[in-house]
């Protein structure tokens, strides 16, 4: 027997990487997909650029305020209260340090972050789907993520967590499917990136779940991929990478004697809000928000579901088939907490875009020109049906449609006026939750609780928070107090709020009244006594200490 015939595969020899076979009817040019992707990318970037200066909404305000305070030595979860993990605030703080903490600076940082996300997304998909389809997927993802239906003009955690998540998926493909050396390093990097994504937004945990199932399928379901001992070792390595950011954060807080604060805000109060308030009303939230999310985009969802089945049936391309599982898992991620807010659906958009483009690709290969017409309808309808948002609408119109009568634009005007009337050492208290005001006024909050709901909601630290807020208000004697009417209606029956209102009637006087209407708002400064009462259903009152 010759040496060649006697040769057997070495246990250490790397298996041949899985490579997708060319799709049927591959002679059809895919260049139109590339041009469609480039067009959608340009439209999305133009829109994001137009809305760089749009006023902060509530969540952006608290993220930016805490992010700036952290760079100045503030203590998260001990003096600065919110229930996200540290990564989100550090990113906001970085944007603020580089570009400024006003809305234009934060939104510019977010735009550059999104461009980096889209670049990684394209480079990764180019290895799996080819250049043209990858461009189309990237363009569709960018357009939907920038749309008003998912609040794409604002900077939410769901936008920011995609960058490390996609980097981790690319590392996962290189380590598990392409067997690039050193394999262990790629797997560890994949886990670490998934962990960093969770470090920004807890709902990104579905990426870690996908990675675990993906590795188990690859190493245990594909014969000859690696030995069982090595497979277990790589899975453990991946899990260590996922846990590392959160574990290091917890260890850092523990080293300062503040682990209880970290645990309370990131686990106890977050899970308490989920199971006590949001989860029971999940179906209501879904019915309320999901129709808004798919408005102008229902063609994309329909073809995306079709593309999901196309990918799942494609046994000749296991790498493409694996991509399909990210869509249902991301929908599970959206459902965590049962709130279904529009910006939560950003988690699904990269994977919906892939499924939609692959569905369009299947139509083109089967029906030719009719398939291209259907593709054009799918990708261009969101732009044509709502072209005002992409090219013409002003900030007020966009904010009113997205947030109804929340006073986000009015807070920008109030903040500018209070800055003019005050000194840098003066503080402001908001009996409600409008932390963006402190950024516009460039004045500190008199109260540690930027979201006042945390003071009145039932939880283990409610009594402690009420005592703390009472002490801060009485001792710091804020120069200005702002009372948003819609939030006050939900707080007015709390005993602490009643005490504060009595204090306001005694020691403060009204200097500003904001009447909020659908098409405009009227702000009256230094009103006479007979004009110091709001005249509309939605209002804001501004008071100054006597």
């Amino acid at each position: 027997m010759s040496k060649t015939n006697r040769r057997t595969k070495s246990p250490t020899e790397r298996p041949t990487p899985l490579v997708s076979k060319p799709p049927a009817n591959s002679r059809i040019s895919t260049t139109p997909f590339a041009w469609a992707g480039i067009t959608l990318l340009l439209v999305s970037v133009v829109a994001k650029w137009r809305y760089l200066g749009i006023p902060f909404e509530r969540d952006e305000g608290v993220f930016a305020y805490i992010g700036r305070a952290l760079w100045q030595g503030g203590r998260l979860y001990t003096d600065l209260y919110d229930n996200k993990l540290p990564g989100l605030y550090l990113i906001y703080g970085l944007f603020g340090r580089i570009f400024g903490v006003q809305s234009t600076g934060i939104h510019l940082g977010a735009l550059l972050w999104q461009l980096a996300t889209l670049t990684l997304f394209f480079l990764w998909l180019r290895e799996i789907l080819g250049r043209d389809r990858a461009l189309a997927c990237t363009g569709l993802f960018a357009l939907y993520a920038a749309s008003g239906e998912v609040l794409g003009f604002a900077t939410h955690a769901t936008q920011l967590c995609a960058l490390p998540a996609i980097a981790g998926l690319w590392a996962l493909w290189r380590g598990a499917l392409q067997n690039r050396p050193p394999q262990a390093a790629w797997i560890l990097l994949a886990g670490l990136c998934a962990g960093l994504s969770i470090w920004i937004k807890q709902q990104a945990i579905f990426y870690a779940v996908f990675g675990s199932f993906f590795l188990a399928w690859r190493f245990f379901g594909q014969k000859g991929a690696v030995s069982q001992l090595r497979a277990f070792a790589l899975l453990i390595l991946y899990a260590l990478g996922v846990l590392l950011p959160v574990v290091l954060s917890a260890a850092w807080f523990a080293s300062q004697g503040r682990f209880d604060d970290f645990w309370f805000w990131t686990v106890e109060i977050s899970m308490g809000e989920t199971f006590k308030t949001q989860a029971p009303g999940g179906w209501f939230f879904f019915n309320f928000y999901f129709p808004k999310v798919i408005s102008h985009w229902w063609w994309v969802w329909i073809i995306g579901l079709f593309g999901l089945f196309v990918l799942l049936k494609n046994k000749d391309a296991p790498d493409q088939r694996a991509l399909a599982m990210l869509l249902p898992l991301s929908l599970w991620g959206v459902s965590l907490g049962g709130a279904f807010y529009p910006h939560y659906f950003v988690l699904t958009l990269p994977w919906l875009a892939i499924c939609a483009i692959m569905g369009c690709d299947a139509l083109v290969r089967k029906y030719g020109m009719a398939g291209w017409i259907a593709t054009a309808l799918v990708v261009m309808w969101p732009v044509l049906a709502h072209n005002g948002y992409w090219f013409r609408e002003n900030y007020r119109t966009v904010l009113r449609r997205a947030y109804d009568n929340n006073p986000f634009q009015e807070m920008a005007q109030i903040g500018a006026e209070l800055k003019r009337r005050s000194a840098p050492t003066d503080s402001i208290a908001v009996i409600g939750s409008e932390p963006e005001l402190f950024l516009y006024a460039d004045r500190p909050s008199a109260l540690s609780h930027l979201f006042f709901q945390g003071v009145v909601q039932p939880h283990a630290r409610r009594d402690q928070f009420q005592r703390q807020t009472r002490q801060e208000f009485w001792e710091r004697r804020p120069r200005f107090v702002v009372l948003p009417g819609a939030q006050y209606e939900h707080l007015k029956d709390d005993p602490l709020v009643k005490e504060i209102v009595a204090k306001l009637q005694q020691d403060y006087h009204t200097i500003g009244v904001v009447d909020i209407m659908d098409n405009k708002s009227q702000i009256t400064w230094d009103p006479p006594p007979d004009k110091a009462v709001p005249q509309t259903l939605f209002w804001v009152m501004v008071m100054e200490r006597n």
Side-chain angles (χ1 to χ4, degrees):
M1 184 179 292
S2 68
K3 183 177 181 180
T4 302
N5 292 334
R6 290 197 311 266
R7 183 179 182 271
T8 58
K9 190 173 183 178
S10 169
T12 60
E13 186 176 337
R14 302 186 186 280
T16 303
L18 296 174
V19 179
S20 299
K21 293 182 180 180
N25 200 9
S26 58
R27 291 175 297 175
I28 292 178
S29 173
T30 57
T31 302
F33 280 118
W35 286 112
I38 292 171
T39 302
L40 298 182
L41 276 169
L42 290 175
V43 172
S44 68
V45 171
V46 167
K48 295 283 281 188
W49 187 265
R50 287 185 65 242
Y51 295 121
L52 283 183
I54 196 168
F56 284 133
E57 52 94 76
R58 191 171 296 123
D59 287 353
E60 290 180 298
V62 77
F63 301 154
Y65 186 87
I66 292 178
R68 180 178 65 177
L70 290 181
W71 283 89
Q72 296 171 348
R75 298 189 303 169
L76 182 61
Y77 311 128
T78 302
D79 302 318
L80 301 160
Y81 301 135
D82 197 29
N83 61 358
K84 306 296 188 298
L85 286 164
L88 175 61
Y89 311 108
L90 293 175
I91 293 171
Y92 257 85
L94 180 64
F95 291 165
R97 291 278 291 187
I98 298 174
F99 304 111
V101 294
Q102 296 307 311
S103 58
T104 300
I106 297 297
H107 292 154
L108 177 58
L111 173 58
L112 296 177
W113 186 278
Q114 179 72 349
L115 290 175
T117 303
L118 295 171
T119 300
L120 281 182
F121 188 63
F122 165 71
L123 293 175
W124 172 47
L125 288 187
R126 184 177 62 176
E127 297 181 359
I128 305 172
L129 305 177
R131 183 200 66 184
D132 296 345
R133 296 181 193 86
L135 270 173
C137 295
T138 305
L140 187 57
F141 166 37
L143 188 77
Y144 206 161
S147 71
E149 285 77 22
V150 294
L151 313 181
F153 50 84
T155 304
H156 289 103
T158 47
Q159 300 271 5
L160 300 176
C161 72
L163 177 59
I166 290 170
L169 290 172
W170 195 3
L172 194 68
W173 249 248
R174 292 200 161 193
L177 276 178
Q178 299 174 358
N179 297 313
R180 295 201 182 191
Q183 187 180 42
W186 286 113
I187 299 301
L188 177 62
L189 178 61
L192 180 60
C193 288
L196 289 173
S197 185
I198 299 169
W199 199 50
I200 298 170
K201 180 68 173 175
Q202 288 98 320
Q203 287 172 294
I205 192 173
F206 78 87
Y207 286 112
V209 173
F210 170 81
S212 301
F213 283 123
F214 181 83
L215 290 175
W217 164 78
R218 175 65 177 135
F219 294 150
F220 296 110
Q222 302 291 315
K223 293 182 179 180
V226 295
S227 68
Q228 286 197 355
L229 181 61
R230 181 174 176 80
F232 279 116
L234 291 174
L235 278 168
I236 292 172
L237 195 62
Y238 179 79
L240 289 174
V242 171
L243 294 173
L244 192 60
V246 175
V247 169
L248 288 179
S249 295
W252 187 82
F253 281 96
S255 70
Q256 296 193 331
R258 297 193 291 126
F259 178 79
D260 288 346
D261 293 335
F262 171 80
W263 182 263
F264 174 79
W265 282 103
T266 61
V267 178
E268 288 186 28
I269 201 166
S270 295
M271 294 182 66
E273 289 179 357
T274 294
F275 293 114
K276 292 180 181 178
T277 60
Q278 294 180 353
W283 186 244
F284 166 80
F285 281 107
F286 180 82
N287 284 332
F288 184 78
Y289 287 117
F290 188 63
K292 298 181 180 182
V293 169
I294 66 171
S295 175
H296 311 301
W297 297 89
W298 52 278
W299 279 114
V300 174
W301 283 88
I302 291 173
I303 198 67
L305 292 175
F306 170 67
L308 175 65
F309 288 106
V310 169
L311 287 172
L312 290 175
K313 289 176 60 179
N314 190 4
K315 297 180 180 180
D316 294 332
D319 50 349
Q320 295 181 16
R321 198 180 187 190
L323 284 176
M325 296 309 301
L326 281 159
L327 180 57
L329 274 175
S330 65
L331 288 169
W332 169 70
V334 171
S335 72
L336 295 177
F340 294 102
Y341 294 131
H343 57 283
Y344 286 9
F345 284 89
V346 173
L347 295 170
T348 73
L349 301 187
W351 326 117
L352 176 65
I354 290 172
C355 291
I357 294 302
M358 295 309 292
C360 290
D361 182 77
L363 291 180
V364 167
R365 296 187 180 283
K366 186 172 182 62
Y367 299 109
M369 182 56 66
W372 283 120
I373 294 173
T375 298
L377 177 64
V378 167
V379 300
M380 294 308 299
W381 178 254
V383 178
L384 299 175
H386 198 187
N387 60 84
Y389 170 82
W390 300 107
F391 304 113
R392 297 192 312 275
E393 288 180 349
N394 58 33
Y395 294 165
R396 182 181 182 85
T397 300
V398 172
L399 288 172
R400 280 290 173 268
R401 182 171 55 248
Y403 300 111
D404 296 323
N405 287 297
N406 280 286
F408 300 145
Q409 189 162 23
E410 290 75 16
M411 285 297 161
Q413 298 169 277
I414 293 171
E417 180 64 18
L418 295 186
K419 182 176 182 179
R420 187 184 69 82
R421 292 176 178 235
S422 62
T425 55
D426 291 329
S427 63
I428 303 172
V430 178
I431 310 305
S433 304
E434 298 299 348
E436 69 277 10
L437 174 67
F438 308 122
L439 300 172
Y440 295 125
D442 196 21
R443 301 293 180 261
S445 171
L447 306 177
S448 297
H449 291 271
L450 304 175
F451 283 161
F452 203 86
Q453 284 82 349
V455 178
V456 300
Q457 289 173 341
H459 52 71
R461 296 192 182 185
R462 182 179 185 274
D463 291 341
Q464 172 191 333
F465 288 170
Q466 294 235 330
R467 289 193 301 270
Q468 176 189 19
T469 301
R470 183 181 290 107
Q471 181 180 4
E472 289 176 344
F473 194 92
W474 262 243
E475 291 182 357
R476 295 176 182 176
R477 301 179 69 239
R479 171 79 180 276
F480 301 102
V481 176
V482 177
L483 193 63
Q487 296 172 31
Y488 171 70
E489 289 299 316
H490 294 287
L491 304 171
K492 64 182 181 180
D493 294 328
D494 184 82
L496 174 60
V497 176
K498 290 181 179 180
E499 288 182 41
I500 292 175
V501 170
K503 186 76 170 177
L504 295 177
Q505 293 172 342
Q506 178 183 349
D507 296 341
Y508 287 76
H509 63 281
T510 301
I511 63 167
V513 175
V514 183
D515 289 301
I516 302 173
M517 296 161 278
D518 289 338
N519 298 322
K520 65 177 182 178
S521 293
Q522 180 177 328
I523 303 180
T524 305
W525 292 104
D526 302 313
D530 60 327
K531 298 292 186 182
V533 178
Q535 304 297 312
T536 55
L537 179 63
F538 299 96
W539 51 268
V540 179
M541 293 184 67
V542 185
M543 285 152 279
E544 184 177 10
R545 190 179 66 240
N546 293 335

